[in-house]
Amino acid sequence: MENRKIVILGAGHVGTHCALSLMFRALANEIVLIDTDEEKAKSQVLDLDDMGACIPAKVVIRSGNYDDLCDADILVNAIGRSRKEGETRLDMFEDSIERLKDIIPKIKNTKFQGILISITNPADVVGECLRKALEIDRFRCFSTGTSLDSLRIKRILEEKTGYHRNSIDAFCMGEHGDSQIVPLSHVSVGGKSFVKLQKENPDTLGKITIEQLQDEVRQAGMTVIIGKKSTEFGIGIALSEIAKSIFHDEKRIWPLSVHLDGEYGQKDVAAGVPVVIGTDGIEEIVEMELTAEEEAQFAHSCDVIRGYLKKAEELLS
C-alpha cells in the first residue's frame, strides 16, 4: 500500500489542527510535526496519538526534523505566531519574513521533492517567497490563500439567505487579507445566479450588498481572534481538503494563492484564484470572466501583495 507522508512545520494552533483534520479523515499514513519547541511538538503528538484507537485508519504521528522532508509527499508551512487583536495579516509581515530566514536554508539542505503548501500569514507573500527561494515550480508551491475566506463567505451567505451553504457556489479572490474580493458575478445558489435571485427577491435577497458581504468576510477572522485569540478549525479542514484533492487526484476547483504569469492580466505576484487541484498539485488556473469593477478590485489586491513582495525581496536578499 502506498505510503502518504505529510510534514507540518509548526506545532501551534494551526499546525496541530491541520494534523487533527488529516487524521480524522485518514488522508495520510504518516504525519510529522516539526517545531523549534521540540517538547511542545512531542506533547502535541502524544495528545493527537491518544485518538489512535478511535479514528478510521492507522496513522503514524510523531515529532521529527528536517530530514523527514526527504521523502515527504506534502510539506505544510504553518510556522509563526497567531494574529493579535487589531492586527491585519500584513502586520505580521516582518515576523514571518524573519522566520523564513530560518527555515529556507533548512529546507534547501534536504532532498524535498514534494508539494509545498504554505499557510503562514501574510499567506500570499510567504507562499511566493518560499517558491522563489526554493526554486519550486509554481504549481507545486502555493499558499492556502483565500481557501478559508471562501468557506467563510458560504457560511455568511447561508446565514443571510437561509439556503444551505453546500448549495451555494461562492469564493474569494486576491489577497488573503483586507483587499480580497468576492466576485458576486460568480455566486450562485443551486446553479442559479445570485444576482438574478436578488432581482427576483428585491425585498429580501435584494437588500444584501456586495459591500456588506466583503466587509463581513474580511472581518470574520478577527471576530474569532477577538473571542478566542486564534483561528484553527477552519484552516485545518481547508488544508485537509487540499491534501485530499491531491492524494485522490480529484481535479477539484478550489481557490488557492498561486504565482500568476499573465492569468487575469497579472504578473510577478501570487494571489488567490480558482485552480484545479490533482496529483501534481495545481494542474490549471481557471480564468473566469469578471465584471469591470471586479477586475479593478482584483488588480488593486494584486498591487497590495506585489508591494509587500518587493519589501520581502529586500529583506531576504
Side-chain angles (χ1 to χ4, degrees):
M1 183 178 292
E2 180 186 0
N3 188 60
R4 294 171 177 166
K5 181 178 180 180
I6 297 180
V7 175
I8 301 173
L9 300 182
H13 291 285
V14 170
T16 51
H17 277 83
C18 287
L20 179 71
S21 185
L22 292 166
M23 290 178 71
F24 272 140
R25 306 176 91 186
L27 290 172
N29 308 92
E30 185 177 5
I31 300 171
V32 182
L33 294 184
I34 300 174
D35 198 283
T36 52
D37 186 341
E38 295 181 8
E39 288 306 310
K40 180 179 182 179
K42 290 177 182 177
S43 296
Q44 294 281 42
V45 163
L46 286 172
D47 200 7
L48 286 164
D49 201 25
D50 284 341
M51 300 189 306
C54 298
I55 55 177
K58 178 176 175 57
V59 179
V60 174
I61 182 162
R62 60 182 176 82
S63 59
N65 56 52
Y66 282 82
D67 290 339
D68 282 295
L69 271 62
C70 294
D71 61 347
D73 297 293
I74 295 175
L75 170 61
V76 178
N77 172 42
I79 61 167
R81 62 175 177 81
S82 298
R83 189 156 57 116
K84 298 175 183 177
E85 186 173 339
E87 274 189 321
T88 69
R89 296 173 183 88
L90 292 173
D91 289 333
M92 304 171 71
F93 170 76
E94 291 186 4
D95 285 347
S96 295
I97 295 301
E98 283 301 309
R99 286 171 168 81
L100 288 189
K101 290 179 181 178
D102 176 57
I103 71 167
I104 286 172
K106 292 177 180 177
I107 299 173
K108 279 186 174 181
N109 287 335
T110 72
K111 296 179 181 178
F112 175 66
Q113 295 294 317
I115 295 169
L116 197 164
I117 306 170
S118 187
I119 298 173
T120 300
N121 281 318
D124 310 279
V125 177
V126 172
E128 180 68 350
C129 285
L130 283 169
R131 184 197 69 81
K132 291 178 72 174
L134 299 172
E135 298 180 328
I136 303 177
D137 180 84
R138 66 175 178 150
F139 286 173
R140 294 180 67 82
C141 181
F142 45 84
S143 88
T144 47
T146 54
S147 294
L148 179 54
D149 309 290
S150 297
L151 297 180
R152 287 169 172 162
I153 191 60
K154 287 188 176 187
R155 171 180 59 77
I156 291 166
L157 282 166
E158 179 184 72
E159 292 169 355
K160 290 185 176 298
T161 66
Y163 295 116
H164 193 286
R165 68 190 74 181
N166 288 347
S167 296
I168 298 172
D169 283 324
F171 59 93
C172 296
M173 293 178 64
E175 178 201 0
H176 175 47
D178 290 349
S179 69
Q180 68 185 237
I181 73 164
V182 179
L184 196 63
S185 63
H186 289 284
V187 175
S188 63
V189 180
K192 191 169 187 176
S193 164
F194 185 69
V195 173
K196 188 172 182 179
L197 280 171
Q198 285 186 299
K199 291 177 181 177
E200 293 174 354
N201 301 274
D203 295 332
T204 53
L205 301 184
K207 293 183 177 180
I208 301 172
T209 68
I210 185 59
E211 290 79 16
Q212 288 175 327
L213 293 176
Q214 295 194 148
D215 284 346
E216 287 192 36
V217 75
R218 289 167 181 168
Q219 182 61 26
M222 183 51 62
T223 300
V224 175
I225 288 167
I226 290 170
K228 55 173 277 190
K229 309 305 179 188
S230 68
T231 59
E232 50 205 335
F233 299 111
I235 191 60
I237 199 73
L239 183 279
S240 71
E241 280 291 292
I242 299 164
K244 180 167 70 75
S245 297
I246 292 170
F247 286 143
H248 294 294
D249 194 24
E250 290 183 338
K251 314 297 186 189
R252 180 174 184 176
I253 297 178
W254 186 264
L256 294 173
S257 180
V258 59
H259 175 85
L260 299 177
D261 189 21
E263 294 88 1
Y264 290 95
Q266 297 295 324
K267 284 195 171 188
D268 303 319
V269 71
V273 293
V275 303
V276 177
I277 315 173
T279 299
D280 296 322
I282 293 174
E283 299 189 353
E284 177 189 348
I285 294 174
V286 180
E287 291 194 72
M288 297 186 175
E289 186 176 345
L290 302 177
T291 67
E293 183 178 2
E294 290 166 350
E295 280 186 5
Q297 290 177 340
F298 180 69
H300 167 69
S301 190
C302 287
D303 285 341
V304 170
I305 300 167
R306 197 178 283 112
Y308 277 84
L309 284 171
K310 290 179 180 178
K311 293 180 184 178
E313 191 173 340
E314 294 171 0
L315 292 173
L316 290 170
S317 61

